[in-house]
Each structure stands twice: as C-alpha cells, then as structure tokens.
Short mmCIF file of all heavy atoms in Angstrom, two decimals:
data_model
loop_
_atom_site.label_atom_id
_atom_site.label_comp_id
_atom_site.label_asym_id
_atom_site.label_seq_id
_atom_site.Cartn_x
_atom_site.Cartn_y
_atom_site.Cartn_z
N VAL A 1 42.39 184.82 148.23
CA VAL A 1 42.20 186.22 147.82
C VAL A 1 42.86 186.46 146.47
O VAL A 1 43.80 185.76 146.07
CB VAL A 1 42.81 187.21 148.84
CG1 VAL A 1 42.06 187.19 150.16
CG2 VAL A 1 44.27 186.94 149.07
N GLY A 2 42.35 187.46 145.76
CA GLY A 2 42.87 187.78 144.43
C GLY A 2 44.33 188.18 144.43
O GLY A 2 45.01 188.03 143.41
N ALA A 3 44.83 188.67 145.54
CA ALA A 3 46.22 189.13 145.59
C ALA A 3 47.22 188.00 145.36
O ALA A 3 48.34 188.25 144.92
CB ALA A 3 46.50 189.80 146.93
N VAL A 4 46.82 186.76 145.63
CA VAL A 4 47.76 185.65 145.46
C VAL A 4 47.60 184.93 144.12
O VAL A 4 48.34 183.99 143.84
CB VAL A 4 47.65 184.62 146.62
CG1 VAL A 4 48.00 185.27 147.94
CG2 VAL A 4 46.30 183.98 146.67
N LEU A 5 46.67 185.37 143.28
CA LEU A 5 46.47 184.72 141.99
C LEU A 5 47.74 184.69 141.14
O LEU A 5 48.13 183.61 140.66
CB LEU A 5 45.33 185.39 141.21
CG LEU A 5 43.92 185.03 141.67
CD1 LEU A 5 42.90 185.93 141.00
CD2 LEU A 5 43.62 183.58 141.41
N PRO A 6 48.42 185.83 140.94
CA PRO A 6 49.63 185.76 140.12
C PRO A 6 50.73 184.90 140.75
O PRO A 6 51.48 184.21 140.04
CB PRO A 6 50.10 187.22 139.99
CG PRO A 6 49.24 188.03 140.86
CD PRO A 6 48.10 187.18 141.33
N LEU A 7 50.82 184.91 142.07
CA LEU A 7 51.82 184.08 142.75
C LEU A 7 51.51 182.60 142.55
O LEU A 7 52.42 181.80 142.30
CB LEU A 7 51.85 184.41 144.25
CG LEU A 7 52.19 185.86 144.61
CD1 LEU A 7 52.00 186.09 146.10
CD2 LEU A 7 53.59 186.20 144.18
N ALA A 8 50.24 182.24 142.66
CA ALA A 8 49.86 180.84 142.49
C ALA A 8 50.12 180.38 141.05
O ALA A 8 50.63 179.28 140.82
CB ALA A 8 48.38 180.66 142.85
N ARG A 9 49.80 181.23 140.09
CA ARG A 9 50.03 180.85 138.68
C ARG A 9 51.51 180.71 138.39
O ARG A 9 51.94 179.80 137.68
CB ARG A 9 49.37 181.88 137.77
CG ARG A 9 47.85 181.81 137.83
CD ARG A 9 47.19 182.81 136.92
NE ARG A 9 45.74 182.68 137.02
CZ ARG A 9 44.92 183.67 137.30
NH1 ARG A 9 45.38 184.89 137.47
NH2 ARG A 9 43.62 183.46 137.37
N ARG A 10 52.30 181.62 138.92
CA ARG A 10 53.74 181.55 138.71
C ARG A 10 54.31 180.28 139.36
O ARG A 10 55.14 179.58 138.79
CB ARG A 10 54.43 182.79 139.27
CG ARG A 10 55.91 182.87 138.91
CD ARG A 10 56.59 184.17 139.35
NE ARG A 10 55.77 185.35 139.18
CZ ARG A 10 55.40 186.15 140.19
NH1 ARG A 10 55.80 185.92 141.42
NH2 ARG A 10 54.66 187.21 139.97
N ALA A 11 53.85 180.00 140.58
CA ALA A 11 54.33 178.80 141.28
C ALA A 11 53.96 177.54 140.50
O ALA A 11 54.78 176.62 140.38
CB ALA A 11 53.73 178.75 142.69
N TRP A 12 52.75 177.50 139.94
CA TRP A 12 52.36 176.32 139.16
C TRP A 12 53.27 176.15 137.95
O TRP A 12 53.71 175.05 137.64
CB TRP A 12 50.90 176.40 138.72
CG TRP A 12 50.53 175.18 137.96
CD1 TRP A 12 50.68 174.97 136.61
CD2 TRP A 12 50.04 173.97 138.49
NE1 TRP A 12 50.28 173.71 136.28
CE2 TRP A 12 49.88 173.06 137.42
CE3 TRP A 12 49.69 173.55 139.77
CZ2 TRP A 12 49.39 171.78 137.59
CZ3 TRP A 12 49.20 172.27 139.94
CH2 TRP A 12 49.07 171.40 138.86
N SER A 13 53.55 177.26 137.26
CA SER A 13 54.37 177.15 136.04
C SER A 13 55.79 176.69 136.37
O SER A 13 56.44 176.06 135.55
CB SER A 13 54.40 178.48 135.29
OG SER A 13 55.06 179.47 136.04
N GLN A 14 56.27 176.96 137.57
CA GLN A 14 57.60 176.51 137.97
C GLN A 14 57.61 175.04 138.40
O GLN A 14 58.60 174.34 138.24
CB GLN A 14 58.13 177.39 139.11
CG GLN A 14 58.42 178.81 138.67
CD GLN A 14 58.69 179.73 139.85
OE1 GLN A 14 58.51 179.37 141.00
NE2 GLN A 14 59.12 180.95 139.55
N VAL A 15 56.47 174.59 138.93
CA VAL A 15 56.38 173.22 139.45
C VAL A 15 56.01 172.21 138.38
O VAL A 15 56.55 171.12 138.34
CB VAL A 15 55.33 173.19 140.59
CG1 VAL A 15 54.94 171.77 140.95
CG2 VAL A 15 55.85 173.90 141.80
N SER A 16 55.09 172.60 137.51
CA SER A 16 54.53 171.61 136.59
C SER A 16 54.40 172.20 135.19
O SER A 16 53.52 173.01 134.94
CB SER A 16 53.14 171.19 137.10
OG SER A 16 52.58 170.25 136.22
N PRO A 17 55.27 171.78 134.27
CA PRO A 17 55.13 172.25 132.90
C PRO A 17 53.89 171.62 132.26
O PRO A 17 53.41 170.59 132.70
CB PRO A 17 56.41 171.78 132.22
CG PRO A 17 56.83 170.59 133.01
CD PRO A 17 56.38 170.85 134.42
N GLY A 18 53.38 172.24 131.23
CA GLY A 18 52.20 171.70 130.57
C GLY A 18 50.95 172.44 130.99
O GLY A 18 50.98 173.64 131.26
N TRP A 19 49.85 171.72 131.05
CA TRP A 19 48.56 172.33 131.36
C TRP A 19 48.55 172.95 132.75
O TRP A 19 49.09 172.38 133.69
CB TRP A 19 47.44 171.30 131.28
CG TRP A 19 47.13 170.87 129.89
CD1 TRP A 19 47.49 169.69 129.30
CD2 TRP A 19 46.42 171.60 128.91
NE1 TRP A 19 47.04 169.65 128.02
CE2 TRP A 19 46.36 170.82 127.74
CE3 TRP A 19 45.81 172.85 128.90
CZ2 TRP A 19 45.73 171.22 126.59
CZ3 TRP A 19 45.17 173.26 127.73
CH2 TRP A 19 45.14 172.45 126.61
N MET A 20 47.90 174.11 132.85
CA MET A 20 47.71 174.75 134.14
C MET A 20 46.24 174.63 134.50
O MET A 20 45.37 174.81 133.65
CB MET A 20 48.09 176.24 134.06
CG MET A 20 47.93 176.97 135.38
SD MET A 20 48.37 178.73 135.29
CE MET A 20 50.13 178.64 135.08
N PRO A 21 45.93 174.31 135.75
CA PRO A 21 44.52 174.28 136.14
C PRO A 21 43.96 175.70 136.17
O PRO A 21 44.70 176.67 136.16
CB PRO A 21 44.56 173.68 137.55
CG PRO A 21 45.92 174.03 138.05
CD PRO A 21 46.82 174.02 136.86
N ALA A 22 42.66 175.80 136.18
CA ALA A 22 42.03 177.11 136.38
C ALA A 22 42.30 177.50 137.83
O ALA A 22 41.98 176.77 138.75
CB ALA A 22 40.53 177.02 136.13
N ILE A 23 42.95 178.64 138.02
CA ILE A 23 43.27 179.11 139.37
C ILE A 23 42.45 180.37 139.59
O ILE A 23 42.55 181.33 138.82
CB ILE A 23 44.78 179.39 139.53
CG1 ILE A 23 45.58 178.11 139.25
CG2 ILE A 23 45.08 179.93 140.92
CD1 ILE A 23 47.08 178.29 139.24
N ASP A 24 41.62 180.36 140.63
CA ASP A 24 40.69 181.46 140.83
C ASP A 24 40.41 181.63 142.32
O ASP A 24 40.80 180.79 143.13
CB ASP A 24 39.38 181.16 140.09
CG ASP A 24 38.63 182.42 139.68
OD1 ASP A 24 38.97 183.51 140.18
OD2 ASP A 24 37.72 182.30 138.85
N THR A 25 39.71 182.70 142.65
CA THR A 25 39.26 182.92 144.03
C THR A 25 37.87 182.31 144.18
O THR A 25 37.20 182.01 143.19
CB THR A 25 39.19 184.41 144.37
OG1 THR A 25 38.23 185.03 143.51
CG2 THR A 25 40.54 185.09 144.23
N ILE A 26 37.42 182.19 145.41
CA ILE A 26 36.06 181.69 145.65
C ILE A 26 35.05 182.63 145.01
O ILE A 26 34.10 182.19 144.36
CB ILE A 26 35.80 181.53 147.16
CG1 ILE A 26 36.69 180.41 147.72
CG2 ILE A 26 34.34 181.26 147.44
CD1 ILE A 26 36.69 180.31 149.22
#
C-alpha cells in the first residue's frame, strides 16, 4: 500500500547507501 512507501524508502536509505531501487505499489 502507498502508506508504507516513505517507510520503505527510509528503511532502504538506512540499510544500503548508494543507489535506491524503484519502490512502488502494485
């Protein structure tokens, strides 16, 4: 769901510096 998009992006930036994958809903 769209509600978790910012959480997923923030979590990625904390886990893996550098390129971020495209994070989206279905």
Side-chain angles (χ1 to χ4, degrees):
V1 293
V4 298
L5 283 170
L7 300 172
R9 290 181 179 126
R10 188 175 321 120
W12 181 273
S13 66
Q14 292 170 351
V15 166
S16 179
W19 288 104
M20 181 180 290
I23 300 174
D24 207 347
T25 62
I26 293 171

